[in-house]
């Protein structure tokens, strides 16, 4: 039996670092709000698709370095925020938050990371809630 959650509930139980940015991405790219019951906590494979090619920025490099040592000590890192769905050259997930964690895990050879995954109109998940005509009218 699948229990769906909302992003609001997940954020309350385990605060996400850039929640504002995640909400923006969800609204702009997926027409969905934090109230859509499409979320599941999963352990996702660390694949090459979300890897930042160019970690040119010094801060980025430092952040990844800190996360790598956290992973090595088996410390809990905040969950990634992903949207499930096949995209032509990006694999099975789109990343809304956590690219530094993803890079660190990749460099450490970690196989899976905890993530919040949205199934919007896939895997039995609901359609985008901002498409609802009643909401659109108001
Ligand atoms: Zn899905």
């Amino acid at each position: 039996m699948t229990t769906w959650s909302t992003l609001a509930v997940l954020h309350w139980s385990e605060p996400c670092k850039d929640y504002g940015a995640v909400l923006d991405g969800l609204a702009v790219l997926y027409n969905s709000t934090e109230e859509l019951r499409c979320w599941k906590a999963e352990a996702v494979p660390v694949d090459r698709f979300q890897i930042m090619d160019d970690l040119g920025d010094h801060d980025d490099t430092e952040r990844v370095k800190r996360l790598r040592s956290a992973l090595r000590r088996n410390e809990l890192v905040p969950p990634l925020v992903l949207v499930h769905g096949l995209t032509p050259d990006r694999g099975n997930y789109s990343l809304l938050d956590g690219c530094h964690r993803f890079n660190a895990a990749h460099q450490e050879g970690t196989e899976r990371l905890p993530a919040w995954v949205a199934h919007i109109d896939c895997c039995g998940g609901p359609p985008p809630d901002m498409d609802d005509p009643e909401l659109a009218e108001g």
Side-chain angles (χ1 to χ4, degrees):
M1 188 72 204
T2 310
T3 322
W4 298 98
S5 191
T6 67
L7 193 58
V9 167
L10 289 171
H11 180 61
W12 178 79
S13 69
E14 214 167 352
C16 159
K17 281 186 63 175
D18 299 307
Y19 195 55
V22 169
L23 288 185
D24 286 349
L26 202 58
V28 171
L29 301 171
Y30 301 100
N31 264 337
S32 301
T33 72
E34 62 179 350
E35 297 303 330
L36 187 65
R37 300 189 67 83
C38 67
W39 293 86
K40 279 196 269 187
E42 299 176 17
V44 300
V46 176
D47 59 32
R48 63 190 168 82
F49 294 108
Q50 278 78 15
I51 301 305
M52 282 189 288
D53 294 326
D54 186 12
L55 280 174
D57 197 316
H58 178 71
D59 290 347
D60 285 338
T61 315
E62 283 302 306
R63 240 175 112 179
V64 169
K65 217 184 282 178
R66 274 200 304 277
L67 285 161
R68 283 185 67 171
S69 61
L71 287 171
R72 223 172 296 151
R73 290 194 301 269
N74 266 328
E75 283 170 17
L76 219 55
V77 296
L80 305 164
V81 183
L82 301 165
V83 177
H84 187 220
L86 201 61
T87 45
D89 14 81
R90 307 287 295 173
N92 292 321
Y93 300 97
S94 302
L95 193 66
L96 286 179
D97 182 46
C99 70
H100 292 92
R101 271 156 278 164
F102 225 99
N103 275 265
H106 183 69
Q107 290 174 17
E108 283 300 307
T110 306
E111 280 179 19
R112 284 177 181 269
L113 278 181
W116 302 342
V117 182
H119 298 276
I120 302 169
D121 236 351
C122 68
C123 310
D129 54 352
M130 285 165 80
D131 285 351
D132 191 319
E134 275 179 39
L135 283 175
E137 274 169 34

mmCIF file of all heavy atoms in Angstrom, residues 4 42 83-85 117-125, ligand 1:
data_model
loop_
_atom_site.group_PDB
_atom_site.id
_atom_site.type_symbol
_atom_site.label_atom_id
_atom_site.label_comp_id
_atom_site.label_asym_id
_atom_site.label_seq_id
_atom_site.Cartn_x
_atom_site.Cartn_y
_atom_site.Cartn_z
ATOM 1 N N TRP A 4 1.110 8.323 0.010
ATOM 2 C CA TRP A 4 1.601 9.528 -0.621
ATOM 3 C C TRP A 4 1.703 10.638 0.412
ATOM 4 O O TRP A 4 0.918 10.714 1.332
ATOM 5 C CB TRP A 4 0.655 9.973 -1.746
ATOM 6 C CG TRP A 4 0.542 8.967 -2.834
ATOM 7 C CD1 TRP A 4 -0.435 8.041 -2.996
ATOM 8 C CD2 TRP A 4 1.465 8.771 -3.921
ATOM 9 N NE1 TRP A 4 -0.182 7.287 -4.115
ATOM 10 C CE2 TRP A 4 0.958 7.723 -4.694
ATOM 11 C CE3 TRP A 4 2.655 9.402 -4.296
ATOM 12 C CZ2 TRP A 4 1.617 7.259 -5.839
ATOM 13 C CZ3 TRP A 4 3.303 8.962 -5.428
ATOM 14 C CH2 TRP A 4 2.785 7.898 -6.192
ATOM 15 N N GLU A 42 12.281 7.932 -0.937
ATOM 16 C CA GLU A 42 12.909 6.793 -1.593
ATOM 17 C C GLU A 42 14.425 6.894 -1.471
ATOM 18 O O GLU A 42 14.955 7.945 -1.155
ATOM 19 C CB GLU A 42 12.535 6.772 -3.093
ATOM 20 C CG GLU A 42 11.050 6.635 -3.362
ATOM 21 C CD GLU A 42 10.704 6.712 -4.856
ATOM 22 O OE1 GLU A 42 11.620 6.546 -5.685
ATOM 23 O OE2 GLU A 42 9.530 6.945 -5.154
ATOM 24 N N VAL A 83 12.124 14.967 -9.115
ATOM 25 C CA VAL A 83 10.859 14.673 -9.776
ATOM 26 C C VAL A 83 11.087 13.493 -10.714
ATOM 27 O O VAL A 83 12.018 13.509 -11.530
ATOM 28 C CB VAL A 83 10.328 15.886 -10.561
ATOM 29 C CG1 VAL A 83 9.038 15.529 -11.299
ATOM 30 C CG2 VAL A 83 10.096 17.067 -9.618
ATOM 31 N N HIS A 84 10.256 12.455 -10.552
ATOM 32 C CA HIS A 84 10.390 11.265 -11.371
ATOM 33 C C HIS A 84 9.804 11.515 -12.756
ATOM 34 O O HIS A 84 8.872 12.279 -12.915
ATOM 35 C CB HIS A 84 9.660 10.103 -10.696
ATOM 36 C CG HIS A 84 9.881 8.786 -11.371
ATOM 37 N ND1 HIS A 84 8.892 7.867 -11.534
ATOM 38 C CD2 HIS A 84 10.993 8.264 -11.931
ATOM 39 C CE1 HIS A 84 9.394 6.807 -12.161
ATOM 40 N NE2 HIS A 84 10.663 7.023 -12.412
ATOM 41 N N GLY A 85 10.334 10.873 -13.742
ATOM 42 C CA GLY A 85 9.801 11.009 -15.094
ATOM 43 C C GLY A 85 10.958 10.979 -16.075
ATOM 44 O O GLY A 85 11.980 11.609 -15.863
ATOM 45 N N VAL A 117 10.866 12.009 -3.726
ATOM 46 C CA VAL A 117 10.609 11.893 -5.154
ATOM 47 C C VAL A 117 9.144 12.210 -5.451
ATOM 48 O O VAL A 117 8.243 11.636 -4.831
ATOM 49 C CB VAL A 117 10.955 10.478 -5.672
ATOM 50 C CG1 VAL A 117 10.728 10.403 -7.174
ATOM 51 C CG2 VAL A 117 12.402 10.128 -5.338
ATOM 52 N N ALA A 118 8.922 13.138 -6.370
ATOM 53 C CA ALA A 118 7.567 13.477 -6.795
ATOM 54 C C ALA A 118 7.182 12.616 -7.984
ATOM 55 O O ALA A 118 7.959 12.487 -8.935
ATOM 56 C CB ALA A 118 7.497 14.946 -7.184
ATOM 57 N N HIS A 119 6.015 11.991 -7.903
ATOM 58 C CA HIS A 119 5.474 11.268 -9.054
ATOM 59 C C HIS A 119 4.244 12.029 -9.521
ATOM 60 O O HIS A 119 3.147 11.807 -9.034
ATOM 61 C CB HIS A 119 5.120 9.825 -8.673
ATOM 62 C CG HIS A 119 6.309 9.038 -8.226
ATOM 63 N ND1 HIS A 119 7.152 8.409 -9.106
ATOM 64 C CD2 HIS A 119 6.821 8.822 -6.985
ATOM 65 C CE1 HIS A 119 8.132 7.807 -8.426
ATOM 66 N NE2 HIS A 119 7.956 8.042 -7.143
ATOM 67 N N ILE A 120 4.481 12.966 -10.413
ATOM 68 C CA ILE A 120 3.394 13.807 -10.903
ATOM 69 C C ILE A 120 2.868 13.170 -12.186
ATOM 70 O O ILE A 120 3.567 13.156 -13.198
ATOM 71 C CB ILE A 120 3.885 15.245 -11.149
ATOM 72 C CG1 ILE A 120 4.462 15.836 -9.850
ATOM 73 C CG2 ILE A 120 2.744 16.116 -11.688
ATOM 74 C CD1 ILE A 120 5.213 17.136 -10.036
ATOM 75 N N ASP A 121 1.668 12.590 -12.065
ATOM 76 C CA ASP A 121 1.059 11.938 -13.224
ATOM 77 C C ASP A 121 1.856 10.709 -13.699
ATOM 78 O O ASP A 121 1.852 10.377 -14.874
ATOM 79 C CB ASP A 121 0.929 12.944 -14.380
ATOM 80 C CG ASP A 121 -0.517 13.032 -14.857
ATOM 81 O OD1 ASP A 121 -1.330 12.192 -14.403
ATOM 82 O OD2 ASP A 121 -0.827 13.916 -15.663
ATOM 83 N N CYS A 122 2.579 10.065 -12.805
ATOM 84 C CA CYS A 122 3.240 8.812 -13.154
ATOM 85 C C CYS A 122 3.224 7.897 -11.932
ATOM 86 O O CYS A 122 3.015 8.361 -10.816
ATOM 87 C CB CYS A 122 4.683 9.052 -13.632
ATOM 88 S SG CYS A 122 5.819 9.625 -12.357
ATOM 89 N N CYS A 123 3.421 6.596 -12.150
ATOM 90 C CA CYS A 123 3.475 5.632 -11.045
ATOM 91 C C CYS A 123 2.257 5.715 -10.122
ATOM 92 O O CYS A 123 2.372 5.464 -8.926
ATOM 93 C CB CYS A 123 4.746 5.814 -10.211
ATOM 94 S SG CYS A 123 6.249 5.879 -11.159
ATOM 95 N N GLY A 124 1.125 6.100 -10.650
ATOM 96 C CA GLY A 124 -0.068 6.200 -9.819
ATOM 97 C C GLY A 124 -0.200 7.523 -9.085
ATOM 98 O O GLY A 124 -1.127 7.720 -8.303
ATOM 99 N N GLY A 125 0.726 8.425 -9.318
ATOM 100 C CA GLY A 125 0.650 9.747 -8.685
ATOM 101 C C GLY A 125 -0.373 10.634 -9.369
ATOM 102 O O GLY A 125 -0.779 10.370 -10.502
HETATM 103 ZN ZN1 LIG B 1 6.906 8.049 -11.087
#
